[in-house]
Amino acid sequence: MSVPLVQLVDIPQRGDARGALSVAELGGVLPFAVRRVYWIHGTKPGVSRGFHAHKQLRQLCVCVAGSVRLSLFDGRREESVVLDSSAKGLLIGPGLWREMHDFSPDCVLMVFADAEYDEADYIRDRDQFIRHVHSS
Ligand code: T46
């Protein structure tokens, strides 16, 4: 049986009567040490993002406000998931073409990454990505 492309993890909720608190820590929900955090927000209406894959990078995506649909493609299969809760994280490993669609106006997508930004780790051409996965 094939492994699902969409790997969702439950983010521990430590809120109390005062409000919510969500935790992502190494050894908990994070399977890697974080070297970079970025967040995607203010995406204009109708705009889609992503359209690339990474050769090595591992990431955990958490939609901390609003919603967004992520689609993942491994060169053969495509799966899609709507992220609309800060209690769920999406783990994305290397070798997956990702696209982000249907951003709500208030969407804030926080991304924890296991490496610093490196443009050389990106494959931004879909045909090149397909060749890359079929040759490895
Ligand atoms: C990913 C998806 C989910 C930097 O200078 N440093 C950074 O850490 C990042 C992430 C981007 N940039 C620059 C590179 C571009 O000039 O910011 C600009 C926008 O980046 P990009 O077009 O790659 O953004 P998205 O939203 O299409 O993709 C991002 C991540 O780049 C990518 O790793 O997996 O979010």
Side-chain angles (χ1 to χ4, degrees):
M1 205 164 78
S2 50
V3 179
L5 305 183
V6 170
Q7 289 189 41
L8 288 173
V9 292
D10 291 321
I11 297 185
Q13 301 298 300
R14 299 285 180 258
D16 54 29
R18 295 168 298 170
L21 194 155
S22 309
V23 185
E25 66 184 335
L26 181 62
V29 79
L30 277 165
F32 52 78
V34 173
R35 298 186 66 92
R36 177 167 53 109
V37 181
Y38 61 91
W39 46 101
I40 294 169
H41 55 113
T43 304
K44 303 282 187 291
V47 169
S48 295
R49 308 184 61 131
F51 301 93
H52 58 253
H54 284 282
K55 297 172 190 165
Q56 304 286 343
L57 190 69
R58 293 189 293 164
Q59 303 191 105
L60 175 73
C61 302
V62 184
C63 188
V64 296
S67 63
V68 61
R69 181 170 61 86
L70 265 114
S71 103
L72 300 174
F73 173 60
D74 70 356
R76 293 177 182 85
R77 292 176 295 140
E78 184 158 9
E79 291 178 15
S80 182
V81 62
V82 172
L83 297 181
D84 60 2
S85 164
S86 61
K88 290 280 178 194
L90 175 66
L91 285 166
I92 310 181
L96 287 172
W97 183 264
R98 79 279 325 261
E99 299 179 9
M100 295 170 275
H101 303 284
D102 306 335
F103 283 90
S104 65
D106 59 343
C107 179
V108 181
L109 182 67
M110 185 154 291
V111 184
F112 303 87
D114 74 347
E116 293 84 353
Y117 174 71
D118 176 9
E119 187 58 37
D121 189 63
Y122 284 73
I123 304 173
R124 292 188 182 271
D125 179 88
R126 191 179 160 101
D127 291 337
Q128 187 191 337
F129 165 70
I130 291 169
R131 286 196 297 277
H132 173 81
V133 291
H134 290 287
S135 69
S136 52

